[in-house]
Amino acid sequence: MSEAPSGFTPPPYPYDRLTDVARWAAAAFEGTGGLVDCSIGTPCDPPPPAVVEALATSGAERGYPPSIGSASFRNAAAGWLAHRFGVQVDPSIEVAACVGTKEFVASTAQYLRLRTPDRDTVLYPSISYPTYAMGATLAGCRAVPVAELPGGGPDLDSVDPVDADRALALWVNTPSNPTGHLTDLGPVVDWGRARHVPVLSDECYAEFTWDGPPRTVLSTGIDGVLAVHSLSKRSNLAGVRAGFYAGDPELVGYLEEVRKHAGLMVPGPVQAAGAVALDDDEHVEVQRARYRRRLDYLRGVLEGAGLPTPDPAGGFYLWVPVPDTVPGGGFGLTGALATRGGILVSPGEFYGPDGAGFVRVAVVQPMDRLELVGARLDGVDLSSG
Ligand SMILES: Cc1ncc(COP(=O)(O)O)c(C=O)c1O
């Protein structure tokens, strides 16, 4: 190649920016329990044994799996939506599989843009999972953040009407990663329908809703909406890559066709295991209790270290305000927590510039590991870094 490419250069992957701090904290705590990694929201607990068994015994290895999802996977997804949220969807035309939801979040803007080339904008929460904005970028679209209302959810009055006219989709995420806030979905859907902007509702933490029953956008009807769900968090299956989207049959139908052409397929054994997982709620109750206990414990530890932290309304993250007295903002507090507590967290700016005054702590470590952090931080005041 003679000339350097002048187009897109991928930015550093957010968590790769923690490599140095992770390395030196791991060295500093070597022999005394090591680093306790609460940065990435990756589950540490086991999936149910029946699910693991289904992975090995489905017999679905040989043939290509259906891109849209097997009938049993889609039936299980529809059944779960019915018993958990009280909503009815037709599994044959209103539900389809995705290969974990990150790829769906990252690729959908591209497919919507191909279909509606006169729109070029993706609206997404200004403090959020970074893949909504990245999906817009990968589609060659404008990623336009929408500020959050004080209690959570998008402040739609703040959206420029020009951006609304150009919008291919509005992403919402309830419960929110990282803030733990819930969204009042009714007004959001009304806004989208009035402007012909599909509302894509990422609900992968729905089972871990602490403040009231779990919410889905499908409760508002299916017209112009998609709910996006994952088995990664609900059933500790992030390693097998299984999720689904459900809602407006016209949108589902378009996306399932284009995704077939792109060769996106959830492996057959994973679909079989996913159906078993969706049919079982007992393991989710156990998991809810684990996260609840860890959230309460770690909140207490942080409070004791001079870092008062709100109780999240949902999800398994603590969104910790950085005291003004801490030098270096979110990165500064990340460094202080690693140095004093041997705990790795994520600076809030990973989730957008509006998150800069926070750090995110994922309670994805067993209690004994969190207690180690508690012991290290006993008597330590981090309020000034
Ligand atoms: C808000 C949100 N959406 C989607 C995902 C992607 O999850 P998966 O691809 O494992 O389904 C994550 C993962 O952390 C997330 O936090």
Side-chain angles (χ1 to χ4, degrees), residues 363-385:
V363 296
V364 291
Q365 293 286 340
M367 273 307 290
D368 61 323
R369 302 292 293 158
L370 300 182
E371 281 162 2
L372 189 60
V373 175
R376 290 169 180 168
L377 290 179
D378 191 23
V380 173
D381 181 5
L382 290 174
S383 61
S384 52

Side-chain angles (χ1 to χ4, degrees), residues 334-357:
T334 298
L337 281 162
T339 314
R340 307 297 298 276
I343 177 172
L344 189 65
V345 304
S346 301
E349 71 183 60
F350 285 7
Y351 313 97
D354 287 0

Side-chain angles (χ1 to χ4, degrees), residues 4-384:
S6 59
F8 177 57
T9 303
Y13 196 68
Y15 299 102
D16 291 346
R17 296 172 64 194
L18 295 177
T19 306
D20 287 347
V21 64
R23 197 174 293 138
W24 59 250
F29 288 91
E30 197 181 348
T32 56
L35 180 68
V36 179
D37 191 344
C38 294
S39 59
I40 300 180
T42 187
C44 69
D45 303 298
V51 173
V52 178
E53 194 186 320
L55 273 176
T57 56
S58 71
E61 297 84 6
R62 284 189 202 184
Y64 288 107
S67 169
I68 62 170
S70 64
S72 62
F73 181 78
R74 285 178 291 130
N75 285 338
W80 175 71
L81 288 169
H83 77 251
R84 197 70 178 100
F85 300 90
V87 295
Q88 304 300 325
V89 291
D90 180 341
S92 60
I93 53 170
E94 293 167 358
V95 181
C98 55
V99 194
T101 55
K102 187 173 176 110
E103 66 81 4
F104 185 87
V105 172
S107 63
T108 296
Q110 179 195 346
Y111 301 139
L112 295 179
R113 168 91 161 130
L114 282 171
R115 190 168 74 142
T116 314
D118 53 325
R119 291 192 176 217
D120 67 350
T121 296
V122 175
L123 304 172
Y124 70 99
S126 66
I127 302 180
S128 60
Y129 181 59
T131 312
Y132 309 120
M134 183 50 71
T137 303
L138 295 175
C141 287
R142 299 159 69 233
V144 174
V146 181
E148 222 199 55
L149 291 167
D155 179 0
L156 294 166
D157 290 342
S158 73
V159 177
D160 187 323
V162 174
D163 291 333
D165 283 348
R166 293 170 68 171
L168 282 163
L170 166 67
W171 277 105
V172 289
N173 174 217
T174 183
S176 155
N177 167 17
T179 66
H181 295 158
L182 304 180
T183 297
D184 182 6
L185 290 161
V188 175
V189 172
D190 290 345
W191 185 95
R193 285 183 185 143
R195 290 162 184 78
H196 305 288
V197 178
V199 174
L200 310 184
S201 181
D202 180 350
E203 300 170 359
C204 67
Y205 297 97
E207 296 274 24
F208 308 115
T209 302
W210 312 116
D211 193 355
R215 301 175 182 192
T216 176
V217 74
L218 301 173
S219 302
T220 68
I222 54 172
D223 182 29
V225 306
L226 289 182
V228 183
H229 282 280
S230 173
L231 287 171
S232 297
K233 319 287 179 176
R234 176 189 184 273
S235 301
N236 299 326
L237 287 170
V240 302
R241 316 305 304 137
F244 68 87
Y245 53 103
D248 192 319
E250 199 274 324
L251 266 175
V252 171
Y254 167 69
L255 289 172
E256 66 184 25
E257 285 307 308
V258 73
R259 291 168 55 84
K260 250 185 232 173
H261 285 291
L264 291 159
M265 285 171 264
V266 178
V270 172
Q271 296 195 30
V276 173
L278 285 163
D279 283 345
D280 179 63
D281 294 322
E282 243 171 68
H283 72 281
V284 182
E285 278 312 308
V286 173
Q287 194 58 41
R288 277 173 60 86
R290 286 187 184 120
Y291 284 137
R292 195 55 259 172
R293 185 160 171 235
R294 294 174 193 163
L295 286 168
D296 291 341
Y297 174 75
L298 209 53
R299 254 184 95 218
V301 169
L302 293 168
E303 174 107 36
L307 303 170
T309 300
D311 195 15
F316 53 64
Y317 302 103
L318 293 169
W319 187 234
V320 186
V322 181
D324 291 342
T325 41
V326 173
F331 264 100
L333 186 57
T334 298
L337 281 162
T339 314
R340 307 297 298 276
I343 177 172
L344 189 65
V345 304
S346 301
E349 71 183 60
F350 285 7
Y351 313 97
D354 287 0
F358 296 81
V359 299
R360 191 197 76 172
V361 186
V363 296
V364 291
Q365 293 286 340
M367 273 307 290
D368 61 323
R369 302 292 293 158
L370 300 182
E371 281 162 2
L372 189 60
V373 175
R376 290 169 180 168
L377 290 179
D378 191 23
V380 173
D381 181 5
L382 290 174
S383 61
S384 52

